[in-house]
Amino acid sequence: YFLFFLMGLFILGPLSISSFAADSRVGFVDIQKAVINTKEWKEEFDVFKKNFAKEKKKIKARENRIKKMLGDLNKQNFVLDPELKKKKEDKFRKEKVAFERYVQDQNQEFSKSEKEITQKILIKMMKVIKKIGKEKKYTMILEEKVVLYHDRGNDLTALATKSYDRSNK
């Protein structure tokens, strides 16, 4: 099948490609760059970074408490009653496991939050790009990362970002 496909492209390709090229207009967008340069994304990401920094401080404080527990446990290791030592070790292990779970949960939450921010804006950006395509009479607009080469004159990334910001006031 692949050989027939290649032969078909070889025989019919020049006819269809030349007629397509004459009637078509192709634009390109770096969708990631277009999204992260929008005012909305920058504002939401600033809030995200502030929340992340606050949480990072809480995690650091909790981590320091656990390190202090371990240090105290190591210092008192030889002088503690075996039963009391076991209780302190158990308490330390529980704290450490709870801390590790908490950090993991927070990482997942922040990752989810970042994806939601980007996804929400990406969906709106796709509508903006479609509108640009219709208004500017493009045959198609492709994601820049999937194209090996294109003329920079057809790069619509900045236009997409500006159009998004204007439509999102």
Side-chain angles (χ1 to χ4, degrees):
Y1 293 112
F2 185 68
L3 184 60
F4 290 119
F5 175 74
L6 287 176
M7 287 180 13
L9 278 179
F10 182 72
I11 296 168
L12 300 174
L15 297 174
S16 59
I17 292 172
S18 63
S19 65
F20 174 77
D23 300 336
S24 67
R25 210 168 150 209
V26 180
F28 304 92
V29 173
D30 181 337
I31 196 78
Q32 182 180 7
K33 187 176 176 181
V35 166
I36 65 172
N37 283 322
T38 62
K39 289 176 185 171
E40 182 181 8
W41 191 88
K42 288 176 182 178
E43 289 168 2
E44 290 202 25
F45 200 69
D46 281 345
V47 170
F48 173 85
K49 285 192 301 189
K50 287 175 187 169
N51 291 338
F52 186 78
K54 286 179 190 173
E55 189 57 42
K56 200 171 172 183
K57 283 181 183 178
K58 287 181 190 176
I59 287 172
K60 190 67 178 168
R62 197 165 167 186
E63 180 182 29
N64 289 337
R65 279 196 316 269
I66 291 173
K67 284 180 180 178
K68 186 179 180 324
M69 281 178 76
L70 180 61
D72 292 346
L73 192 61
N74 286 335
K75 286 178 190 173
Q76 300 168 353
N77 195 20
F78 297 109
V79 293
L80 281 179
D81 172 53
E83 196 172 307
L84 184 59
K85 179 182 168 188
K86 184 177 178 346
K87 284 182 183 179
K88 285 192 172 209
E89 285 174 342
D90 288 345
K91 184 178 179 186
F92 170 76
R93 271 192 226 101
K94 285 178 185 175
E95 283 289 321
K96 186 175 182 239
V97 167
F99 171 72
E100 289 169 350
R101 282 188 191 137
Y102 179 79
V103 169
Q104 187 177 19
D105 289 347
Q106 291 305 310
N107 282 335
Q108 287 175 345
E109 278 300 309
F110 277 103
S111 178
K112 180 182 167 193
S113 177
E114 183 181 16
K115 285 177 187 171
E116 287 171 354
I117 291 168
T118 304
Q119 187 66 26
K120 177 181 76 170
I121 296 170
L122 178 64
I123 289 168
K124 292 186 216 175
M125 180 60 77
M126 297 302 288
K127 291 176 184 173
V128 168
I129 292 169
K130 285 179 184 178
K131 186 177 178 189
I132 291 170
K134 287 178 184 175
E135 289 175 358
K136 303 273 185 191
K137 297 187 181 354
Y138 279 90
T139 307
M140 69 177 74
I141 299 176
L142 301 172
E143 163 59 50
E144 186 178 58
K145 289 178 180 71
V146 298
V147 179
L148 297 175
Y149 170 79
H150 70 86
D151 180 350
R152 288 284 167 211
N154 294 335
D155 188 340
L156 304 171
T157 304
L159 176 62
T161 300
K162 287 177 191 169
S163 298
Y164 182 98
D165 287 342
R166 272 195 309 265
S167 70
N168 205 43
K169 285 185 179 179

